[in-house]
Amino acid sequence: MKSEKEKMLAGEPFDAHGEEMIGIRTKVKHILHKLNVTEYYTDKFEDTINELCPNSAKNIHLEPPFYCDYGENIFAGDGVFINFGAVILDGAKVTIGRKTLIAPGVHIYTARHPLNIKDRRVWEDVRPVTIGEECWIGGHATICPGVTIGDRSVIGAGSVVTKDIPADCLAVGNPARVVKQLNQKD
């Protein structure tokens, strides 16, 4: 029989509110406290980032305050910069390509909840999010579960990304839509 964490990682419906999952998130909240409050100005700050996000490159930068559910499901590449106030609900894998810049207040969600109230009372599920290399995610943008954003794309401030965005595009709005091709050769 699978644990709730095993179900979550397999993308199956799971109980996020049981003792096992609350225990895992509570441990992460202690690490987040160190990151956001006690170690920002110390030589332990980078070690705390690596403790929180062990599957990310060693040279990512998280500007506090930063919030996530698990940390271990964040796979950020070399040179990723995440500005203050970011929230990543990482029940599923969140991949952030190298040199991607994430502005203040960006929210990235993998968690989905059933529309039916009876189901919503007992389970949720998750879908991975992938953000390509050298992207720019504008302030207070929201990236929804299951979305892929292609390399070098830009998401405008305040946009809500509900569907995949191809590489080399500017997408804006709610819901976000592609309004311009970028990086085209003359």
Side-chain angles (χ1 to χ4, degrees):
M1 187 163 188
K2 289 183 181 177
S3 70
E4 297 305 313
K5 181 178 179 180
E6 290 169 332
K7 291 177 192 175
M8 177 187 75
L9 293 174
E12 299 170 3
F14 69 100
D15 180 2
H17 305 291
E19 187 176 319
E20 173 192 12
M21 299 308 288
I22 290 172
I24 294 168
R25 288 193 306 274
T26 299
K27 180 181 173 188
V28 170
K29 298 305 179 249
H30 289 287
I31 300 169
L32 285 168
H33 180 77
K34 289 191 307 185
L35 181 87
N36 291 329
V37 178
T38 64
E39 294 183 359
Y40 181 63
Y41 294 106
T42 73
D43 58 359
K44 297 178 183 176
F45 184 66
E46 287 183 20
D47 292 338
T48 304
I49 291 172
N50 295 327
E51 179 184 7
L52 179 66
C53 301
N55 295 311
S56 290
K58 300 300 180 208
N59 66 342
I60 68 166
H61 182 81
L62 302 177
E63 190 67 27
F66 172 76
Y67 306 98
C68 66
D69 279 338
Y70 304 102
E72 66 184 20
N73 298 325
I74 300 170
F75 292 75
D78 288 326
V80 166
F81 179 86
I82 301 174
N83 215 326
F84 60 86
V87 175
I88 300 178
L89 302 185
D90 63 317
K93 185 176 184 179
V94 175
T95 302
I96 304 170
R98 68 178 186 80
K99 295 186 179 180
T100 286
L101 306 174
I102 296 179
V106 169
H107 287 208
I108 301 170
Y109 303 140
T110 65
R112 300 185 325 160
H113 301 277
L115 296 176
N116 181 289
I117 187 61
K118 290 179 184 177
D119 293 335
R120 192 167 56 243
R121 289 176 183 152
V122 295
W123 67 268
E124 66 182 61
D125 69 348
V126 292
R127 294 292 177 261
V129 169
T130 301
I131 301 172
E133 296 184 353
E134 299 184 286
C135 291
W136 167 242
I137 311 299
H140 292 276
T142 300
I143 314 300
C144 291
V147 165
T148 295
I149 298 170
D151 293 343
R152 299 168 304 279
S153 284
V154 175
I155 305 301
S159 296
V160 178
V161 184
T162 60
K163 296 186 178 181
D164 292 353
I165 303 296
D168 297 302
C169 290
L170 169 62
V172 299
N174 181 4
R177 62 181 178 77
V178 173
V179 296
K180 183 177 183 178
Q181 294 294 307
L182 303 173
N183 310 313
Q184 303 299 308
K185 294 183 181 184
D186 294 329

